[in-house]
Amino acid sequence: MTDYIEFYNKQRMPIVGLGLWQSDDPNELDQALEKALDQGYRHFDTATLYKNEEGLGRGLKKYMDAGKVTREELFIVTKLPWTGMHPDRVRRFAELSLKKLQVNYIDLYLVHWPLAIKYVSDEEVAPMENGKFLIDKESPPLESVWKAMEELVDAGLVKSIGISNFTPSQIERIMKIARIPPTNHQIEVQAYFQNREVREASTRNKITVCAYGPLGSPGRKDYNFNGFSYDIPNLFEDPLVVRLSEKYGKTPAQVLLRFLTQLNIAVIPKSTNAGRLSQNINILDFALTPSEVKEFEKLDKGEAGRSFPSLLGMQDHPECPF
Ligand code: A2P
């Protein structure tokens, strides 16, 4: 078991990264970053949509300027927003991310969603009308966006390109036309929603998997939108998780993350708390037995366990994945 996953192009991504979705308070972000870097985090996951690339860039630069880490030791992931789903806008959005992050390359650039929202301005990354996203039903084919992603690699702006929230058939379509195939697929994976079909379609195509919401995202701020709400799973109290946590003297979160990493899935738990940041990266000094992994696999509730649904009109786009 290594502490990296390796892409087909030999690039290595630390198997535990820091997720930065909803880390929008600059002070909190600043402090969390410093603690995370001190504890050995080197993989940071942001997105244009998270609106914290500047804060991440500032924090990383400060640490690099202090001589505590080099750019080569860091693994920075960011994502093309759904307003950028047009071949003419891909490079522009990548360049904006580079500028905000204050770096001259991105380690991994992902297509955040296979669907498109109308472009209004560079800053408005989720324009809405009447409580719904301004879905762009006439957006160019995904394949044409992928061709523009490949050009980012050619230009040296990004080391690897990948996808997020794609379906098996969307993966196959990209594989058919790709000169530079995706290296990584970021999807929801957690004990109650193990997303098997999409994981299998990814690994069949030599695309590694990174799990968002690996703890079930218990701290999610927005789970009630204009009366539409959804359940947030409580994985920490699951009897299997509790039992294994007692057996190994680890916290429930550590057991949940260990399960995923033993399947060679990278994880990007979010935390701003020093103790929890430390727990989440210290998961490689124990291992679940094969039969415990099997027990974990039985916790999967399939589609019923999905905890990040499509919402606010996303389903109106023909490429909406779920
Ligand atoms: P906090 O930032 O206060 O630590 P996910 O990565 O699945 O989206 O989950 C992130 C949420 O889980 C955050 O609210 C975070 O809260 C909480 N969390 C992160 N790590 C742990 C942990 N080790 N134990 C308990 N809660 C955690």
Side-chain angles (χ1 to χ4, degrees), residues 205-311:
N205 287 294
K206 302 193 167 48
I207 305 171
T208 57
V209 172
C210 178
Y212 69 71
L215 301 174
S217 210
R220 238 174 299 178
K221 290 179 200 160
D222 310 313
Y223 53 94
N224 191 326
F225 296 92
N226 305 327
F228 174 87
S229 63
Y230 50 89
D231 289 338
I232 294 187
N234 182 354
L235 302 176
F236 296 150
E237 286 175 17
D238 184 277
L240 175 68
V241 176
V242 172
R243 172 157 64 78
L244 295 177
S245 138
E246 283 163 4
K247 171 177 170 187
Y248 290 104
K250 297 285 171 187
T251 66
Q254 287 176 311
V255 170
L256 288 159
L257 296 174
R258 192 68 188 110
F259 163 59
L260 297 178
T261 54
Q262 277 186 233
L263 301 177
N264 208 33
I265 299 173
V267 291
I268 44 169
K270 183 224 152 192
S271 184
T272 47
N273 167 283
R276 292 191 283 277
L277 281 165
S278 161
Q279 281 178 33
N280 298 349
I281 199 163
N282 290 305
I283 55 166
L284 299 177
D285 59 351
F286 75 109
L288 306 176
T289 66
S291 73
E292 287 162 353
V293 170
K294 285 220 159 58
E295 278 186 89
F296 247 112
E297 285 177 332
K298 289 195 198 124
L299 295 184
D300 188 17
K301 299 177 200 260
E303 201 49 44
R306 185 192 290 283
S307 83
F308 282 85
S310 9
L311 37 84

Side-chain angles (χ1 to χ4, degrees), residues 18-36 39 41 52 215 219 221 269-278 280:
L18 179 64
L20 293 170
W21 182 57
Q22 295 198 329
S23 283
D24 31 28
D25 174 328
N27 281 335
E28 200 177 71
L29 172 64
D30 224 40
Q31 286 170 24
L33 276 179
E34 192 164 348
K35 289 176 214 156
Q39 288 171 7
Y41 283 80
N52 55 20
L215 301 174
K221 290 179 200 160
K270 183 224 152 192
S271 184
T272 47
N273 167 283
R276 292 191 283 277
L277 281 165
S278 161
N280 298 349

Side-chain angles (χ1 to χ4, degrees), residues 67 109 111 113 126 157 170 184 188-189 211 247-248 263 268 319:
Y109 195 56
V111 176
W113 286 92
L157 302 186
Q170 288 166 337
N184 184 253
E188 180 183 357
V189 193
K247 171 177 170 187
Y248 290 104
L263 301 177
I268 44 169
E319 299 278 15

